[in-house]
Amino acid sequence: MRKVRKLLPTYLLASGYALLLVLPLLTLLSASLRAEADLYAPGLLPPNPTLAPYGEALAKFPLGRFLLNSLLVATAITLGVLLTSLLGAYALTRLRFRGRELLFGLAIALLLVPGEVTFLPLYLLVDRLGWLDTYLALTVPFLASPLGVFLLRQFLRTIPEDYFDAARIDGAGHFQMLRHVALPLSAPALGALAALTFIGAWNMYLWPLVVTKSREMQTAQIAVNFILNEEVARWNVVAAAAILVLLPTLIAFLLAQRAFVRGIAMGGLKG
Amino acid sequence: MERTLARPSRRTLRLGLEALPFLLPAYGLFLLFMILPVLDALWLSLHREDLFGRGREWVGPGNYLEALSRPEFWRSVGLTLQFALIVAPLELLLGLLAALLVYRAYPGVALFRTLFFLTTAVPTAVAAVAWGWFLHPVGGYANRLLVTLGLPPQPWLTSPELALPTLAVVTAWAGVGFTAILLTAGLQSIPEEVLEAATVDGAGPWTRFWRVILPLLSPTLFLVGLLVVLKSLTAFGQIHLLTRGGPMESSTVWIYRVYQDAFFNFQVPLAAAEALLLFLVLLLLAALQFWLLGRRVHYA
């Protein structure tokens, strides 16, 4: 009882602050559950809640296709980053060769290159390759990540030599040691990297905006932009579409919150 | 072990070839999609295209001089600076408040952590739409609240004076989850004994915060601050969705200028020069961040 009284100020403050932070999302949810006539009715709760805006958004726009595009792109990028980073990090920690430190330094240097600045030359390159408006443009340039190489290298360094030595004595080659020692042991780091990469890829905006032309290739993010433009007066439909686009990342976040938080804490402070 | 590293024998050279299949996927992609494009941008920025984008003519620093002599360019640089100067302190403050509320374990802390970290899972486009509705001139809750309080409604996104600060608030909101996570990790790395010692010495929560927590957290705060500045300098999605750089170019920040010049004014080499200038600024900030990180790791 004393403990609760001591914690009461924290509870009150935290609840109030959390409510304030979530308020814009709550008003969006509220708008998505209103008929057009009720859109401007006061109060946070919709007076006559209805799912009609969702039906309209789904009927008018190929939201399933947009979400599928985002899912495909984010999944492909995540799998690619995990694979290329693990391979690269393995070489940087387990193999000895000339220029190893240099290559690690290069990964750090590339970590500092923001994608938003290279989008223009990257666009020109992808255009020359004839990839505009294809899944290739949306995925291939992002299948490797300097952050991934960096994080996994730091992690693999913490695995004791003995584990690999034992595998070597059993006659394992490097690919087998990667598969049977490094891979299972780095599961937590891979999970964190996967969560970070997936949400990052799902949230890409500028790049899909410039490389997609046809509606069929648009990702959910870009679709929101077009729906907002076309339905500028019907905010309930726009809101419904936005909530549908939010759901997958929200669910992914709730399911993998620990991995995700760990990913940000590792990538942000140590990188 | 270190010695064999310094003097490669035939065996390590053989291992070099062995490393190739491991390194090639990541580093091949880096070369093709990160290093080459930057070099290409550099090359492009030193040329000028004819009206139909066919011939390319070497102009040396011409595009840079042109960019630097345009008032539009400097305006966008100034706006970017203003934007970052609002976003960074606001996002740090909001994130710090959240982190202070959840860095210690107590019953129910998991729920608050989820709520405070939630914005990291909100896509930029969804954040923009949520705020677009929240700030809607008629139906928006921001103005309804003002009216309830007897204050005049505000043209949040439609006035040249308010658009950029409003976008900065939206950006800070979208980033709270990110800063809260980093600052929570920072707070948790403060040794429990230090805080206990302060309590034993009779320090209340307020004194503990100012005299113990803040000084110990300040290196982390500074690093996170730099990270937030770096992110805010390349904010694009929310601006594209909410104001399209307007009204009257009042939110045409640096990166938006690059996008505008490349895709709407078709001055690709000029845009490349502008992008590389931004790149230079970001690189300097990032190098500063990394240098500080290295020092901190070294002395820790």
Side-chain angles (χ1 to χ4, degrees):
Chain A
M1 204 57 219
R2 252 190 64 198
K3 205 171 173 197
V4 171
R5 190 168 312 157
K6 218 182 126 201
L7 277 170
L8 198 62
T10 308
Y11 283 138
L12 285 177
L13 204 61
S15 315
Y17 186 39
L19 188 69
L20 208 67
L21 278 182
V22 183
L23 192 61
L25 293 175
L26 290 180
T27 59
L28 187 73
L29 183 65
S30 168
S32 75
L33 296 169
R34 288 163 187 248
E36 224 172 321
D38 292 337
L39 198 53
Y40 300 108
L44 195 55
L45 288 173
N48 310 296
T50 166
L51 287 172
Y54 288 88
E56 267 190 76
L58 285 167
K60 187 152 182 205
F61 302 99
L63 274 165
R65 171 81 194 224
F66 299 146
L67 289 166
L68 191 68
N69 282 346
S70 284
L71 191 69
L72 275 174
V73 168
T75 308
I77 290 177
T78 305
L79 291 177
V81 165
L82 291 184
L83 183 70
T84 58
S85 303
L86 190 62
L87 284 170
Y90 183 87
L92 290 178
T93 46
R94 302 297 313 165
L95 298 173
R96 249 166 275 131
F97 53 90
R98 255 183 218 263
R100 186 169 80 157
E101 294 303 307
L102 195 75
L103 282 185
F104 180 58
L106 183 66
I108 293 178
L110 291 175
L111 197 64
L112 309 179
V113 178
E116 290 85 349
V117 175
T118 54
F119 83 92
L120 183 54
L122 193 56
Y123 173 86
L124 298 172
L125 173 66
V126 162
D127 185 15
R128 248 175 291 159
L129 291 170
W131 287 2
L132 287 186
D133 214 29
T134 66
Y135 287 121
L136 290 174
L138 288 168
T139 52
V140 177
F142 310 102
L143 292 179
S145 133
L147 181 69
V149 172
F150 177 82
L151 286 181
L152 290 183
R153 186 252 189 190
Q154 299 304 78
F155 192 84
L156 286 184
R157 268 157 62 103
T158 65
I159 299 178
E161 292 267 331
D162 310 359
Y163 292 29
F164 292 98
D165 289 342
R168 209 200 321 263
I169 288 165
D170 288 346
H174 283 297
F175 277 105
Q176 279 157 319
M177 283 197 272
L178 175 72
R179 166 76 185 79
H180 296 291
V181 184
L183 181 69
L185 286 176
S186 34
L190 286 171
L193 179 62
L196 201 64
T197 309
F198 187 88
I199 294 199
W202 184 276
N203 285 352
M204 279 200 298
Y205 187 87
L206 179 55
W207 182 251
L209 178 74
V210 296
V211 297
T212 59
K213 300 267 180 282
S214 63
R215 187 152 253 184
E216 293 75 51
M217 290 309 299
Q218 277 166 16
T219 58
Q221 305 294 319
I222 307 311
V224 170
N225 171 47
F226 283 94
I227 295 171
L228 181 61
N229 275 339
E230 282 179 34
E231 300 287 334
V232 73
R234 302 206 304 159
W235 272 95
N236 52 345
V237 177
V238 176
I243 294 285
L244 288 172
V245 172
L246 171 64
L247 275 181
T249 33
L250 196 65
I251 293 168
F253 172 75
L254 294 176
L255 289 179
Q257 192 183 350
R258 292 188 93 148
F260 188 57
V261 165
R262 192 165 40 216
I264 287 188
M266 285 202 306
L269 281 183
K270 296 191 184 129
Chain B
M1 186 81 89
E2 286 300 314
R3 202 161 294 160
T4 43
L5 256 184
R7 203 158 32 80
S9 65
R10 199 170 295 157
R11 182 173 145 71
T12 61
L13 285 179
R14 192 174 65 77
L15 280 168
L17 272 180
E18 216 172 34
L20 213 59
F22 290 89
L23 291 168
L24 206 59
Y27 283 87
L29 287 164
F30 291 162
L31 181 69
L32 200 57
F33 296 110
M34 294 185 83
I35 299 168
L36 280 181
V38 173
L39 295 178
D40 186 35
L42 197 65
W43 179 248
L44 195 66
S45 72
L46 300 171
H47 288 77
R48 184 166 292 153
E49 284 174 342
D50 71 14
L51 214 56
F52 306 98
R54 283 192 294 242
R56 274 190 190 173
E57 179 198 351
W58 174 268
V59 290
N63 286 311
Y64 291 90
L65 296 176
E66 192 185 333
L68 293 172
S69 68
R70 290 169 87 203
E72 302 99 297
F73 174 73
W74 285 109
R75 181 143 185 262
S76 71
V77 173
L79 291 171
T80 306
L81 218 67
Q82 280 178 40
F83 184 72
L85 282 176
I86 305 174
V87 174
L90 190 64
E91 195 177 317
L92 274 185
L93 210 69
L94 292 173
L96 181 60
L97 181 59
L100 282 170
L101 286 165
V102 297
Y103 80 101
R104 295 172 108 168
Y106 54 85
V109 73
L111 175 68
F112 290 125
R113 278 187 192 157
T114 302
L115 290 171
F116 289 153
F117 300 164
L118 190 71
T119 59
T120 45
V122 179
T124 311
V126 176
V129 168
W131 278 87
W133 172 242
F134 193 71
L135 300 167
H136 190 275
V138 189
Y141 288 79
N143 278 345
R144 286 190 200 179
L145 199 70
L146 286 182
V147 171
T148 314
L149 295 171
L151 297 166
Q154 295 296 321
W156 300 107
L157 291 166
T158 48
S159 88
E161 290 77 30
L162 272 179
L164 192 76
T166 305
L167 285 170
V169 172
V170 175
T171 305
W173 176 85
V176 171
F178 176 77
T179 38
I181 290 173
L182 293 182
L183 292 175
T184 302
L187 284 169
Q188 283 171 343
S189 68
I190 295 177
E192 193 66 36
E193 306 89 71
V194 178
L195 289 169
E196 271 165 25
T199 314
V200 170
D201 286 346
W206 196 246
T207 319
R208 271 208 308 268
F209 175 72
W210 286 107
R211 295 285 174 84
V212 183
I213 293 178
L214 209 56
L216 285 173
L217 190 67
S218 59
T220 310
L221 269 176
F222 191 76
L223 276 172
V224 176
L226 261 176
L227 222 57
V228 173
V229 170
L230 277 168
K231 269 201 318 162
S232 70
L233 291 182
T234 51
F236 180 85
Q238 58 273 50
I239 298 174
H240 184 259
L241 267 150
L242 287 175
T243 63
R244 295 276 194 266
M248 289 159 67
E249 298 213 328
S250 65
S251 57
T252 301
V253 292
W254 201 333
I255 185 98
Y256 208 89
R257 179 92 257 154
V258 174
Y259 169 74
Q260 192 93 314
D261 282 340
F263 291 95
F264 292 94
N265 302 334
F266 302 110
Q267 294 182 291
V268 175
L270 180 69
E274 289 168 342
L276 280 166
L277 288 170
L278 176 58
F279 179 54
L280 209 63
V281 173
L282 294 167
L283 210 60
L284 285 174
L285 283 171
L288 178 67
Q289 174 205 349
F290 213 78
W291 179 68
L292 285 166
L293 203 67
R295 264 171 56 124
R296 202 176 62 133
V297 169
H298 190 75
Y299 292 116

